Amino acid sequence: MLHDALCSGAGDAFICYSVLPLMERLGGDQCALPMVVVPLHETIDVLYAAPGLVLALHDALVRGAFGADPTPLTWFLLKLCTSNAAARADERVGAMARELACAQPDSLHVQRLQVVLKGSQQQHGGDALDSLEALREVPAGRHDNDKLSYRDVQPMPTADEIVCQRRAYLPPLATTPAAGAEVSDDARVAMQAALLDRHFRLLREDMIGLIQEELRNITRARDKNDLEEALRSARNVVGILAIEEVVLESQPRIRVSFAWPSQHSVLKHQGKKARLKFWEEGSSQHTLEEKALIVLCIPGSTPLLGQVVCRDEMWLSEERPSIGLAFYGSAHSRDDVSNLLGRLGRQHHDAFPHGAILVQAGASTFQYIPVLNSLQAMAGVPLCDELVLGQQSEAAPSYAADIDVGAKLSKLALNPSQARALTHALSSRVALTQGPPGTGKTFVGVKLAEIIHRLTDQKILCVCYTNHALDSFLPDLLDSGITEITRVGGNSKTERLKPYNIREQEGTSVRSRAAERMRFALQDELVLISKEVKALLGRLEKTAIGPKWWQTVAAMLAREEPDIYAQLQVVSTTDSDGMRIVVFGGAALTEDYLWKRWLSGGNAGVLKDTVTVAVAEQLRQRAQAADPSGFEPHVSLFALSKVQCKAYKARIENALSKTDRDELARILDRYEVCKQRKLDVKRGAWTEILESKRVIGCTTTGAASFKEIRSSVNRRCSRRGS
């Protein structure tokens, strides 16, 4: 209907009475739940792609058709531009943002839209780029993931990026305005955009910088000795042996076997039991740790990036250790995953060429990716005056305005520095308390939370950098009598906190009927995908070609490898007189004669003259076409060495299985997406739990991972006035 209306020249009335109400519905609370975040973004992208919609919205805005409240349009553009790179580069979207800024200069949402559109361009242009070196020190152009705006950068690195020899762009430090200085709206927007850009790029460099450095040393090796030296100095590099199997279970993974480097400590332990004890005691716990970023380097192939998703101690203890890997999907890497799956089932001496290695990054991506995703989704910086402009507010936070700080302090056993810290925290929107170990920082934090909990109706979000710190802080809150707590994230190692983990508490929550229907539908889809994977694996296991394969092989070669087909084709099984041709031993010539002779390592037998003529004809045709590509026509298949024959046989097997391998790579991506959607539905029930609690504890990574849940709670609580 939208497409038809726009194509027929729909006017302002259609925009106001059809499109705007749709935006209102999409921006409602029901569409803000975690389980519908992905469908919501997909819907917004479909709307943006509708021919003529953006132009119609722009024209309606210019004509004033939105009236005094264009907030639904602002929301739509903000959601669209946060996740859609094409929209951020669309001049019509930029023109609407400028119109909205003129109409509503004080609107927070309009300012956030400007921050998103500003990106990182503000700090990269201008007169400073007057030299070649200066030009090189700007983002974009180094590799396929080097973008001008940090919002366009894929958080996980690409293969092209990993092997890039140029250093990554890192933004310069910014200066804050002098205290009391006036800051224009444009400057506020630019400074927020620059801060988000800087934090994203620096944090991302911390994630991938080490693995890039190790790969640079390996790829710069000039000879075998240099390579061996680089491999010895690398922290976590193992030699790849074979692809053992594809496993679904909790997460799709490709099980890869490998060989430990000669200096690894596990080699000092003989026998599976001794090695298992080595791993169970936590030795080398960071070696191939779960969620670690890895790069699979195969000579002659594009590096393949992924994650460790299964680190089974039993697998590591085997004589031929193995690890479970997942390769995150994108359009340009799926072919590489398909090629990797082509090695499934091969013997370890034949699966990978010499020099195939797996390199592990220095840290787990789990610590970084949620935060990077959150930085890309941020449409502005909260508490901008303090955190961006460096201007301390004189006013106390609104929730603490009626608290008699002095009276409260008189009842607490605090030393002077602790009293000053608590006073500062209750009278400032942003407060920083720091000091050496043992000075009472945790004690002050607990007292601050206790005062806010007892004297206000505010929710308290307690964020710690590590799970260990969180497990130290929350029990102190329990000791002070605060029990309305939920802990979001990984399981606590403190038994006392177990009942407060949100996963324990979710058993008491009630899912909506819509959520239950979606959960069952996703479970059914996962079962269906599992069956498809098993069927594909079954077919892939049967692609080892043999003498009886000629009919299947011939059809493929005739279509995709005509040069090879011409040398293996038996044109006729009869001579010019119509008599059947007889081969050695008196048997009749068959259509698969040359195929069987080649597979067995023999010559062309009675048809060697025919093969010679076919080679000569190929050479003549290529010479006329001046096309040297593809199979070398002047070489007879029957003149190849055993190694070369083996390579061509593998080439034929890969060609035969390519369709199934491509489909398997695509389905593994689909399985992962479906699993994530199911998890989002499950987490949707957490919203009710978080609404019922006064204190929410999580790590920095947890706060980023569950940002949609926190946002949903914030919106629903604000509507109730709490």
Side-chain angles (χ1 to χ4, degrees), residues 463-492:
V463 182
C464 297
Y465 188 67
T466 64
N467 277 300
H468 178 74
L470 189 62
D471 289 346
S472 298
F473 187 80
L474 293 182
D476 289 344
L477 292 183
L478 293 175
D479 291 340
S480 68
I482 301 175
T483 57
E484 300 169 86
I485 296 174
T486 189
R487 185 188 189 281
V488 180
N491 291 323
S492 170

Side-chain angles (χ1 to χ4, degrees), residues 529-589:
I529 293 174
S530 298
K531 292 179 180 178
E532 292 177 16
V533 169
K534 290 178 181 177
L536 285 168
L537 289 174
R539 291 206 295 268
L540 286 171
E541 289 173 358
K542 299 175 182 177
T543 54
I545 56 179
K548 297 180 180 180
W549 275 69
W550 174 241
Q551 293 298 325
T552 303
V553 171
M556 184 277 294
L557 291 180
R559 182 178 64 253
E560 299 181 17
E561 299 275 8
D563 290 336
I564 298 179
Y565 177 67
Q567 294 194 41
L568 294 174
Q569 179 191 21
V570 176
V571 178
S572 175
T573 58
T574 60
D575 60 19
S576 57
D577 297 326
M579 302 295 291
R580 290 189 65 84
I581 300 173
V582 177
V583 300
F584 300 117
L589 179 68

Side-chain angles (χ1 to χ4, degrees), residues 118-172:
K118 184 74 67 174
S120 57
Q121 299 176 20
Q122 191 73 20
Q123 58 182 314
H124 308 316
D127 300 331
L129 303 181
D130 55 3
S131 68
L132 177 60
E133 194 59 34
L135 187 62
R136 284 178 173 150
E137 288 306 313
V138 296
R142 291 168 176 79
H143 46 75
D144 61 0
N145 200 30
D146 187 23
K147 309 295 184 181
L148 185 64
S149 171
Y150 83 93
R151 296 183 193 273
D152 298 336
V153 176
Q154 181 181 308
M156 289 290 272
T158 65
D160 190 40
E161 177 180 10
I162 284 292
V163 299
C164 179
Q165 296 296 319
R166 291 183 61 187
R167 298 289 178 182
Y169 166 76
L170 296 178

Side-chain angles (χ1 to χ4, degrees), residues 123 150 153 168-174 194-210 212 368 371-372 375:
Q123 58 182 314
Y150 83 93
V153 176
Y169 166 76
L170 296 178
L173 292 175
L195 182 69
L196 292 171
D197 176 270
R198 188 159 55 250
H199 276 267
F200 177 88
R201 294 184 189 272
L202 291 175
L203 183 63
R204 193 168 179 277
E205 175 66 13
D206 190 48
M207 178 180 76
I208 68 174
L210 178 62
Q212 280 183 309
Y368 294 90
V371 181
L372 292 171
L375 286 169

Side-chain angles (χ1 to χ4, degrees), residues 670-687:
R670 180 175 145 215
Y671 190 95
E672 182 61 29
V673 170
C674 193
K675 286 283 290 185
Q676 185 58 49
R677 291 280 302 279
K678 185 182 176 186
L679 182 60
D680 289 340
V681 172
K682 180 181 179 182
R683 289 174 175 174
W686 293 4
T687 304

Side-chain angles (χ1 to χ4, degrees), residues 364-414:
S364 170
T365 55
F366 173 75
Q367 302 169 3
Y368 294 90
I369 296 299
V371 181
L372 292 171
N373 286 332
S374 292
L375 286 169
Q376 285 185 314
M378 288 180 68
V381 180
L383 302 167
C384 175
D385 288 346
E386 291 87 355
L387 299 180
V388 181
L389 306 181
Q391 298 177 353
Q392 183 65 38
S393 173
E394 297 293 332
S398 57
Y399 63 82
D402 297 329
I403 296 177
D404 187 343
V405 178
K408 288 296 172 187
L409 292 180
S410 64
K411 299 178 181 180
L412 300 175
L414 302 172

